[in-house]
Amino acid sequence: MRPLVAGNWKMHGTLREAQALAEGLRGGAERADLLVCPPFVHLQAVEAVLRGGPVAVGAQDCHAKAKGAHTGDVSADMLRDVGATHVILGHSERRADHGETDAVVHAKAGAALAAGLTPVICVGETEAQRLAGEAESVVTEQLAGSIPDGFVAAGGIVAYEPVWAIGTGRTPTEAEVAAIHATMRKALVGRFGEAAKATRLLYGGSVKPSNAAGLFALPDVDGALVGGASLVAADFLAIAAAVPA
Ligand code: PEP
């Protein structure tokens, strides 16, 4: 399948910087689909820069409800309305900073699907969990709890992001990534059937131009979710260019 390289811009950048970054990506990449996820306030401006081109635009979160008294929140319908096609859900920073549980992520993903957005659901173990030998069971449990019915048929995407690898410059070994991705594929195929063989499984956590090729060569790694390196257009494009021909 054609890989997806997704950029999570987190809470970075002025409006002008976001537009300039988007302009640098406008041509897309030869061997991968690209997705950028700016902060909510820059979504419309980034979408305007990228409209009609190959690069998709997504958000970093949405609320589980379609509307209502939820100060500071944004609904999936609102995101769709301003041109987003994807939404990252259950990122470990949201799980940690906002206490998001698997049940919350599940509800948000259901709202995203109902609005016609493609959810990118993040899972991953902490360092303590990995050291305790629990990485596979944690990820399997998060997948089961966070992913709603209909996810695979709608083209939902999963990102394996070990918490300890995010923004640290550390990554699991390629064998460790391959093992978790194989486990995720097995779990999804077990639940959703053969269709889940086409579900994109991204790796995220300190992906950079220098380690991307090795990661993309692994079985069941169908792209990357990139944080820090997605803030520099040349680095993000270099990661996408590392997809094997
Ligand atoms: C992320 O937060 O989704 C991420 C992968 O960050 P980084 O690439 O900076 O580790």
Side-chain angles (χ1 to χ4, degrees):
M1 81 188 76
R2 187 170 159 88
L4 173 70
V5 178
N8 174 10
W9 294 1
K10 307 195 185 185
M11 197 172 70
H12 289 294
T14 62
L15 173 60
R16 184 66 207 117
E17 285 165 346
Q19 287 169 313
L21 182 50
E23 275 155 21
L25 302 173
R26 204 153 39 182
E30 199 184 328
R31 292 192 293 275
D33 291 337
L34 298 185
L35 164 69
V36 294
C37 299
F40 287 139
V41 288
H42 301 333
L43 254 175
Q44 272 181 279
V46 167
E47 195 277 332
V49 172
L50 297 172
R51 191 176 306 154
V55 184
V57 179
Q60 300 171 18
D61 180 45
C62 70
H63 198 275
K65 294 269 167 55
K67 61 181 169 187
H70 301 290
T71 303
D73 282 313
V74 173
S75 76
D77 283 322
M78 291 171 182
L79 298 174
R80 187 88 176 112
D81 192 37
V82 297
T85 53
H86 294 67
V87 59
I88 298 171
L89 294 171
H91 190 282
S92 62
E93 286 153 15
R94 293 215 54 95
R95 290 178 187 261
D97 296 352
H98 300 272
E100 290 191 7
T101 60
D102 289 338
V104 169
V105 178
H106 186 284
K108 290 183 173 196
L113 292 176
L117 292 175
T118 302
V120 181
I121 295 186
C122 303
V123 296
E125 80 285 357
T126 63
E127 184 156 37
Q129 288 166 332
R130 174 154 288 274
L131 291 173
E134 295 167 2
E136 307 223 348
S137 60
V138 166
V139 165
T140 306
E141 195 176 312
Q142 287 178 332
L143 282 183
S146 304
I147 293 184
D149 292 342
F151 177 86
V152 163
I157 297 165
V158 174
Y160 167 54
E161 297 211 306
V163 179
W164 53 274
I166 293 178
T168 60
R170 298 163 59 209
T171 56
T173 65
E174 290 176 2
E176 286 167 341
V177 173
I180 294 283
H181 279 240
T183 297
M184 295 198 299
R185 181 75 71 201
K186 196 167 162 223
L188 290 172
V189 170
R191 175 172 167 192
F192 292 99
E194 294 290 299
K197 289 191 172 160
T199 297
R200 279 163 155 168
L201 307 181
L202 312 183
Y203 168 77
S206 297
V207 177
K208 37 189 190 258
S210 58
N211 62 15
L215 291 162
F216 292 150
L218 299 173
D220 288 316
V221 174
D222 311 308
L225 180 53
V226 185
S230 73
L231 297 172
V232 177
D235 287 349
F236 191 58
L237 292 174
I239 289 169
V243 165

